[in-house]
Amino acid sequence: MIAIRNLPVIPTVLVALAVATMIGLGIWQIQRKAEKEALVDRYASTSALPPVAWPEPPDTELLYRRATGFCLEPVDWRSIAGQNREGEAGWQHIASCRTGGGEGPGMQVVVGWSASMEPPEDWEGGEVSGIIALDPEYEIRLVSEDAAPGLQPVARPDPADMPNNHLLYAIQWFFFAGAAALIYVLALRKRMRS
């Protein structure tokens, strides 16, 4: 057994602080897990609400809600990796749409999926109905329920697809804390023997 009076003060305090910090991070991850589950539940309940008009400015509180917007004309295109409704990998085609007299795109619309990265040539805009989804670049985008000519419908946004790895992160932090404490105890025992 290691006598308390024989413990090196500074290393012991540093290891104790590190272990306490890792345990605190593990507890925080467990709290984040509960918050993420509540968020997913809230988003899942929005799909039953009535549709809304496309929000100006973008409002992430409306994620996963049905909405309708009007694309006067697509001013730019981008393609991102995505899936169609059958789960096939390919490209989602997103139009940056002009929605009014203002400058620049006012709405991002996922108009469909294809195996090719090339955007559709035949889609010139119009009324779009679909589901509001997160867009890393523009905050939100409207995922059209119907595909543009020549494209297939994309997989519907689902809040259940949101990653929730917080329990794994918590276990990882608790493991690190236990490993650090064990390594320190073994190092102390070795030091006391020599």
Side-chain angles (χ1 to χ4, degrees), residues 126-147:
E127 185 174 275
V128 181
S129 293
I131 299 171
I132 297 174
L134 195 61
D135 187 300
E137 195 172 332
Y138 294 92
E139 292 188 61
I140 60 173
R141 61 179 170 234
L142 185 59
V143 179
S144 178
E145 188 65 29
D146 302 314

Side-chain angles (χ1 to χ4, degrees), residues 139-181:
E139 292 188 61
I140 60 173
R141 61 179 170 234
L142 185 59
V143 179
S144 178
E145 188 65 29
D146 302 314
L151 300 177
Q152 296 178 27
V154 301
R156 288 182 180 93
D158 187 350
D161 294 336
M162 292 176 66
N164 189 355
N165 301 326
H166 297 291
L167 180 59
L168 294 175
Y169 296 149
I171 291 169
Q172 185 178 21
W173 282 117
F174 293 141
F175 174 78
F176 290 157

Side-chain angles (χ1 to χ4, degrees), residues 12-189:
T12 301
V13 168
L14 291 176
V15 170
L17 287 172
V19 167
T21 300
M22 288 183 256
I23 290 171
L25 287 170
I27 292 168
W28 175 67
Q29 287 295 340
I30 290 173
Q31 292 167 343
R32 289 281 299 134
K33 177 184 179 292
E35 291 170 5
K36 182 68 75 74
E37 288 168 349
L39 184 65
V40 168
D41 289 344
R42 191 182 95 216
Y43 286 150
S45 69
T46 63
S47 63
L49 296 173
V52 295
W54 182 253
E56 291 286 342
D59 184 357
T60 56
E61 291 296 314
L62 297 173
L63 285 175
Y64 302 100
R65 185 129 180 217
R66 295 196 167 280
T68 300
F70 196 87
C71 176
L72 290 176
E73 69 172 318
V75 294
D76 196 17
W77 289 94
R78 61 188 166 116
S79 299
I80 62 170
Q83 295 181 338
N84 64 8
R85 294 211 179 126
E86 284 73 44
E88 297 174 285
W91 299 96
Q92 291 184 8
H93 301 286
I94 304 171
S96 295
C97 291
R98 190 170 59 81
T99 56
E103 302 252 344
M107 180 170 70
Q108 301 294 307
V109 180
V110 181
V111 298
W113 174 95
S114 72
S116 168
M117 199 172 173
E118 294 301 315
E121 297 176 8
D122 299 340
W123 195 73
E124 296 176 2
E127 185 174 275
V128 181
S129 293
I131 299 171
I132 297 174
L134 195 61
D135 187 300
E137 195 172 332
Y138 294 92
E139 292 188 61
I140 60 173
R141 61 179 170 234
L142 185 59
V143 179
S144 178
E145 188 65 29
D146 302 314
L151 300 177
Q152 296 178 27
V154 301
R156 288 182 180 93
D158 187 350
D161 294 336
M162 292 176 66
N164 189 355
N165 301 326
H166 297 291
L167 180 59
L168 294 175
Y169 296 149
I171 291 169
Q172 185 178 21
W173 282 117
F174 293 141
F175 174 78
F176 290 157
L182 179 64
I183 290 168
Y184 188 64
V185 168
L186 293 175
L188 285 176
R189 288 179 76 188

